Amino acid sequence: MGFRWDIFWGALASVAYLKGALITVALTVSAHALAILLATPLALVLTRDRGPAVLAVKLYVGVFRGIPTLLQLLFIWNALPQFIPALQAPWFTPFLAALLALTFNEAAYQTEINRAALRSLDPGQRAAGLALGLTPTQVFVHVIVPQALRVAIPPTANEFINLLKVTSLASVISLRELLTVTNQAVASSFRFVEYYGAALVYYLVIVGVLTYFQTRLERRLAWSTHAPDAAMRDELAVAIPDSLSHRS
Amino acid sequence: MSAPIIRMRGVCKYHGRFAALTDIDLTVAAGEHVVICGPSGSGKSTLIRCINRLEEHDAGRIFVDEVELNADTRNIAAVRSEVGMVFQQFNLFPHLPILDNCTLALRLVRGLAPEAARELALGYLRRVQIANQAEKYPPELSGGQQQRAAIARSLCMRPKIMLFDEPTSALDPESIAEVLDVMADLARDGMTMICVTHEMAFARRIADRIIFMDHGRIVEAAPPQQFFSAPRSLRAKLFLSRLLRYEGSGAPGTAQTAPQAVATTAQFNLGDGSDG
Ligand SMILES: Nc1ncnc2c1ncn2[C@@H]1O[C@H](COP(=O)(O)OP(=O)(O)OP(=O)(O)O)[C@@H](O)[C@H]1O
Ligand SMILES: [Mg+2]
């Protein structure tokens, strides 16, 4: 039984695979985006010293990092509708259940990343912003976030890649994401290599695209006039007349 | 003497049960140059950080240009827009080029258009002689250049008062001179300045008054001539003799020899020279 290229290409180009990949990407991106939104205020709470809010956030992080993701998925899909009858309605789809589970799960990890990023900044940065008359919100948006971002990006990209693969767990709640589609194709044909190979290509391409954007973002945050894409700053340099800059 | 621009009355500040400041009474006149010195941990930074409310005082009252510093955020904003601050570690924003460091508050706080902000900022960068560094990022500058950029960033807001917290303590001797030159220039222009520094030659030249702190209290306040030649408190005497122990003309045996030692070891040269 040799490698059947036609099956491989057929799987790659199939609507089912494409839809599966789209569901995978949509789930990953939306869960991660919501997790980051949720994690930012939680991380800000953790930068305080103590208080009930700090304890609550620590409890949340501890619980959601401690329970297997698979169990969280199963719990939200099977058990939660028993507590909340509204969730028994048809709009509570496997996608929504997976989104809910993965968001809360990921937010626990992302909280720790954001907290570490915020803590890595010199408190003098905030002091300098406030001393210049910026409001605390302006300091956060224009001084703290851009610097914390640089620290947070590499671990956040790791989390994204991890989450991308974790979405395959959602096959247990019958979400038709990429790996579910793959397994179904394999089950009806026993062409393991071709169908798994096609899935593998999809995952690698998605991760490759992400890595490309990560690299570009990191370069933009290099904060140096020697950075490879310092084109904007070169324009700025041209815009400053030489007459202004002849003094030592 | 002109009208007071800063008034502190009975100001106290606690960290838990530790008193960082106790009963601070201080009045600074408009245009006055005050130098604060004292041992490490004596509360110098805490005191000047109370003036723009980077630290909240726990008791007493502080007025800056007739505005009281209290929980009212409008008052805090009003005071901060009039008070510039320069830090020991420069605290430039590393993610912004020098020019953007200077224009950020002009745009966000003063609401200036980008073009107007740029012109204003370049003017001050020229004044501190680093206009040619405007497009660079802070870590690409020398320490002295960074501190001058930080001073320019503060001056852009056209403050009435400048606070300096050991602005030269993180610098090499040559950079120290660069920065002190800029500060002396500001002092000559009549800027109200409160400066925490141990550059005693500089203090002698520009200060109208030296304030000596210890354990969160103002122990002594006197014109520089008097402070250096005849410090009244034992603690100030001890402090001065320690400060000068390793400086040029030998350890001063008594406080009376201190001024010579201070003057002759000046790295900072303002032209008319030290009388040592
Ligand atoms: N957040 C804090 N918690 C507890 N103690 C603090 C805190 N901040 C400052 N202190 C203490 O308050 C005292 C005064 O500190 P401050 O920074 O004002 O001293 P300083 O005179 O500026 O010293 P240095 O010359 O070292 O800069 C110090 O003993 C310091 O340990
Ligand atoms: Mg200090």
Side-chain angles (χ1 to χ4, degrees):
Chain A
M1 200 158 91
F3 189 81
R4 289 269 305 275
W5 284 99
D6 56 324
I7 293 179
F8 175 74
W9 291 120
L12 265 188
S14 68
V15 175
Y17 261 70
L18 199 63
K19 273 176 79 175
L22 282 180
I23 288 176
T24 293
V25 169
L27 182 58
T28 311
V29 169
S30 48
H32 204 179
L34 289 174
I36 290 171
L37 277 184
L38 186 60
T40 304
L42 296 185
L44 278 173
V45 168
L46 286 185
T47 57
R48 298 187 205 157
D49 287 340
R50 65 191 89 172
V54 173
L55 277 178
V57 173
K58 282 186 174 164
L59 186 70
Y60 165 76
V61 170
V63 165
F64 277 82
R65 285 202 308 187
I67 302 174
T69 313
L70 188 56
L71 182 57
Q72 292 177 34
L73 271 168
L74 290 170
F75 187 89
I76 286 185
W77 177 240
N78 294 323
L80 206 55
Q82 289 185 9
F83 298 111
I84 311 171
L87 296 182
Q88 289 164 13
W91 59 262
F92 192 61
T93 58
F95 186 88
L96 267 183
L99 182 60
L100 212 57
L102 295 182
T103 296
F104 283 111
N105 181 246
E106 185 54 40
Y109 292 94
Q110 196 69 44
T111 297
E112 286 296 304
I113 292 175
N114 292 5
R115 180 184 66 91
L118 290 172
R119 277 185 55 141
S120 73
L121 299 193
D122 177 357
Q125 290 293 309
R126 181 180 149 82
L130 292 177
L132 281 168
L134 272 57
T135 64
T137 314
Q138 288 173 329
V139 170
F140 185 68
V141 172
H142 296 276
V143 177
I144 305 298
V145 167
Q147 296 185 51
L149 205 60
R150 184 162 93 148
V151 180
I153 279 175
T156 301
N158 269 347
E159 279 305 311
F160 183 91
I161 291 171
N162 199 35
L163 191 58
L164 180 77
K165 300 178 219 167
V166 165
T167 54
S168 60
L169 292 178
S171 59
V172 298
I173 61 169
S174 63
L175 178 70
R176 294 190 51 82
E177 48 71 54
L178 188 52
L179 204 66
T180 312
V181 171
T182 308
N183 277 331
Q184 282 171 352
V186 167
S188 57
S189 67
F190 297 101
R191 305 298 309 193
F192 296 102
V193 186
E194 291 82 353
Y195 285 115
Y196 287 160
L200 183 149
V201 168
Y202 267 102
Y203 281 116
L204 285 183
V205 166
I206 295 167
V207 171
V209 169
L210 171 81
T211 309
Y212 168 76
F213 282 114
Q214 179 193 352
T215 310
R216 282 196 47 166
L217 199 56
E218 283 181 9
R219 249 187 237 161
R220 177 171 291 193
L221 297 177
W223 310 341
S224 152
T225 43
H226 302 299
D229 59 3
M232 253 181 56
R233 291 157 219 149
D234 290 345
E235 282 167 31
L236 183 68
V238 171
I240 296 169
D242 273 346
S243 59
L244 296 181
S245 33
H246 69 277
R247 299 176 73 168
S248 67
Chain B
M1 194 178 262
S2 45
I5 194 163
I6 299 172
R7 282 184 294 147
M8 301 176 89
R9 287 286 164 270
V11 170
C12 300
K13 167 75 190 174
Y14 302 96
H15 292 295
R17 293 162 86 188
F18 176 80
L21 292 179
T22 307
D23 275 334
I24 300 292
D25 286 310
L26 175 65
T27 305
V28 178
E32 197 182 358
H33 311 135
V34 175
V35 163
I36 302 179
C37 63
S40 181
S42 57
K44 309 179 294 292
S45 300
T46 308
L47 191 158
I48 68 166
R49 289 164 71 94
C50 281
I51 296 171
N52 61 357
R53 208 166 169 89
L54 288 182
E55 302 272 4
E56 286 175 26
H57 54 287
D58 297 307
R61 303 180 77 176
I62 303 176
F63 295 87
V64 178
D65 207 16
E66 303 306 325
V67 178
E68 174 154 27
L69 277 172
N70 48 31
D72 189 334
T73 51
R74 282 165 307 177
N75 288 3
I76 298 172
V79 167
R80 283 180 181 161
S81 73
E82 286 192 4
V83 179
M85 184 173 236
V86 174
F87 302 84
Q88 180 174 352
Q89 299 299 335
F90 327 137
N91 295 358
L92 290 169
F93 306 132
H95 62 296
L96 297 176
I98 298 298
L99 186 62
D100 295 14
N101 261 275
C102 295
T103 58
L104 185 68
L106 287 176
R107 288 182 285 119
L108 293 178
V109 181
R110 295 272 190 255
L112 254 60
E115 202 43 43
R118 224 180 81 97
E119 284 311 308
L120 189 66
L122 279 172
Y124 282 104
L125 288 174
R126 237 172 289 153
R127 175 165 171 186
V128 300
Q129 318 226 330
I130 49 169
N132 57 341
Q133 312 288 329
E135 73 276 20
K136 287 195 184 161
Y137 283 77
E140 299 175 314
L141 269 57
S142 76
Q145 289 172 328
Q146 287 189 56
Q147 193 59 296
R148 283 183 283 152
I151 294 174
R153 176 175 75 173
S154 282
L155 292 180
C156 280
M157 297 297 283
R158 301 187 195 276
K160 292 187 179 167
I161 300 165
M162 283 291 284
L163 308 173
F164 294 87
D165 193 356
E166 303 203 38
T168 58
S169 297
L171 298 173
D172 61 279
E174 203 170 335
S175 302
I176 290 176
E178 287 170 12
V179 170
L180 293 181
D181 279 340
V182 169
M183 291 168 62
D185 203 40
L186 263 184
R188 247 193 318 268
D189 282 0
M191 174 69 78
T192 307
M193 290 165 67
I194 301 185
C195 186
V196 177
T197 185
H198 293 132
E199 294 294 333
M200 289 306 161
F202 173 78
R204 260 176 78 83
R205 280 291 292 119
I206 71 117
D208 298 311
R209 191 157 38 133
I210 307 240
I211 285 175
F212 174 74
M213 292 186 69
D214 195 22
H215 294 297
R217 290 175 189 269
I218 294 180
V219 176
E220 201 161 333
Q225 197 62 39
Q226 186 184 326
F227 179 74
F228 287 120
S229 58
R232 270 174 294 137
S233 66
L234 191 63
R235 276 178 288 184
K237 275 178 194 152
L238 196 66
F239 175 76
L240 277 175
S241 69
R242 277 192 188 147
L243 194 66
L244 305 170
R245 180 174 302 161
Y246 294 108
E247 305 223 339
S249 59
T254 68
Q256 269 65 32
T257 59
Q260 277 75 24
V262 171
T264 48
T265 55
Q267 269 127 6
F268 173 67
N269 191 346
L270 273 162
D272 69 342
S274 320
D275 46 359

